[in-house]
């Protein structure tokens, strides 16, 4: 039986966490929030919501392990609780809560597939962020024969069992490299990918916008990821074997 829960990893998301959770609760009752070693007290802003929403669950990780680690923890809990799929979205309000039911409906009709959001940017989107993702998408598109249109957008529905298997088999995909690599590896494992447009909104500092992306550290991590995956793809292709992650 198909059951989907919205999974929101959060690290020091401030007031945006409560706003994001409230916006999802307006359209979908089942949510698991994973606070990834947060120290700003943002998880406590959800306490009064828990008695009113039985489908809302908050999990706490003592130490910050990265987005991929938080998603893995939440997905493992979701599977134990009987959910078959997880829709991941960021805690910072950039992803469209109003599209949650539509994405889950697509996943229900295609339960063996990834449903990947393709961002539709507004005029407020930072040009550096928009153009910076083009190279990643070019490389991932080449390595998956165009199956993945956008590799960095975290608004997605995953078959939980397949995603957990990919994550548990790798020592990578625990930080900002999670979104591109997990999708690529699942496609390499034979999971079909469906690409669906979704609006994205960026908030400035005055609006409470928060970003934990470190341009030097995390871009270096992404470059290392692409070199590693490109090597894997080329080597396996030369050997006549299907690609697998390192």
């Amino acid at each position: 039986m198909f059951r989907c829960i919205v999974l929101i990893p959060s690290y020091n998301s401030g007031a945006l966490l409560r706003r994001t959770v409230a916006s999802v609760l307006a359209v979908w009752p089942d949510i698991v929030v994973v606070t990834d070693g947060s120290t700003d007290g943002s998880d406590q802003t959800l306490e009064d919501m828990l008695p009113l929403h039985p489908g809302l669950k908050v999990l706490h990780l003592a130490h910050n392990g990265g987005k991929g680690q938080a998603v893995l923890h939440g997905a493992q809990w979701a599977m134990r609780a009987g959910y078959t799929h997880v829709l991941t979205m960021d805690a910072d309000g950039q992803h469209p809560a109003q599209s949650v039911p539509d994405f889950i409906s697509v996943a229900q009709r295609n339960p063996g597939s990834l449903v990947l959001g393709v961002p539709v940017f507004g005029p407020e989107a930072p040009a550096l962020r928009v153009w910076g993702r083009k190279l990643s998408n070019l490389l991932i598109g080449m390595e998956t024969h165009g199956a993945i249109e956008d590799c960095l957008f975290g608004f997605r529905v995953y078959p939980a069992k397949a995603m957990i298997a990919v994550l548990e088999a790798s020592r990578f995909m625990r930080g900002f490299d999670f979104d591109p690599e997990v999708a690529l590896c699942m496609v390499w494992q034979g999971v079909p990918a469906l690409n669906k447009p979704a609006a994205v909104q960026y908030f400035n500092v005055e609006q409470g916008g928060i970003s934990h992306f470190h341009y030097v550290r995390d871009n270096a991590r992404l470059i290392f990821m692409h070199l590693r995956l490109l090597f894997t793809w080329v080597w396996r292709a030369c050997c006549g074997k299907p690609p697998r992650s390192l």
Side-chain angles (χ1 to χ4, degrees):
M1 180 179 67
F2 178 93
R3 292 184 67 202
C4 187
I5 191 168
V6 176
L7 196 168
I8 303 176
S10 174
Y11 173 66
N12 288 352
S13 301
L16 288 174
L17 175 60
R18 182 182 175 89
R19 284 159 48 184
T20 299
V21 170
S23 67
V24 176
L25 284 172
V27 297
W28 196 258
D30 297 325
I31 304 174
V32 56
V33 176
V34 183
T35 60
D36 185 25
S38 292
T39 58
D40 67 345
S42 54
D43 54 323
Q44 298 173 12
T45 66
L46 304 178
E47 289 183 355
D48 66 316
M49 304 174 77
L50 293 172
L52 302 175
H53 299 280
L56 174 61
K57 175 71 174 180
V58 180
L59 307 177
H60 305 277
L61 295 177
H63 304 287
N64 178 241
K67 180 179 181 179
Q69 183 63 37
V71 170
L72 174 59
H73 185 77
Q76 290 169 332
W77 175 90
M79 273 203 66
R80 292 194 298 269
Y83 293 94
T84 60
H85 290 69
V86 295
L87 183 152
T88 58
M89 64 185 297
D90 291 347
D92 59 7
Q94 291 184 8
H95 294 162
Q98 69 275 12
S99 296
V100 165
D102 189 24
F103 268 64
I104 292 177
S105 178
V106 172
Q108 187 170 15
R109 296 194 300 270
N110 304 273
S113 299
L114 274 167
V115 183
L116 303 174
V118 179
V120 179
F121 293 104
E124 79 286 351
L128 184 61
R129 295 288 293 272
V130 174
W131 285 97
R133 69 197 303 133
K134 290 183 180 293
L135 177 59
S136 285
N137 287 334
L138 177 65
L139 291 171
I140 293 290
M142 179 177 66
E143 293 159 357
T144 61
H145 302 287
I148 297 172
E149 293 184 16
D150 190 280
C151 66
L152 294 171
F153 197 48
F155 189 75
R156 302 169 169 179
V157 185
Y158 294 95
K161 184 176 180 179
M163 181 186 70
I164 290 170
V166 165
L167 287 171
E168 289 181 339
S170 174
R171 65 184 184 275
F172 300 107
M173 296 179 270
R174 297 302 187 264
F176 278 101
D177 55 348
F178 162 75
D179 287 316
E181 187 167 356
V182 72
L184 178 142
C185 290
M186 290 179 72
V187 168
W188 280 358
Q189 295 287 345
V191 178
L194 303 176
N195 297 278
K196 184 173 175 58
V200 59
Q201 182 177 2
Y202 281 91
F203 297 98
N204 58 36
V205 176
E206 290 74 20
Q207 295 170 312
I210 297 173
S211 175
H212 299 295
F213 187 87
H214 189 286
Y215 274 90
V216 175
R217 179 198 64 202
D218 293 316
N219 275 316
R221 177 178 289 172
L222 290 173
I223 290 170
F224 170 71
M225 178 203 72
H226 282 300
L227 290 174
R228 177 169 48 80
L229 293 175
L230 187 62
F231 170 80
T232 304
W233 177 64
V234 171
W235 180 71
R236 300 289 292 192
C238 292
C239 295
K241 301 176 181 179
R244 304 289 184 197
S245 61
L246 289 175

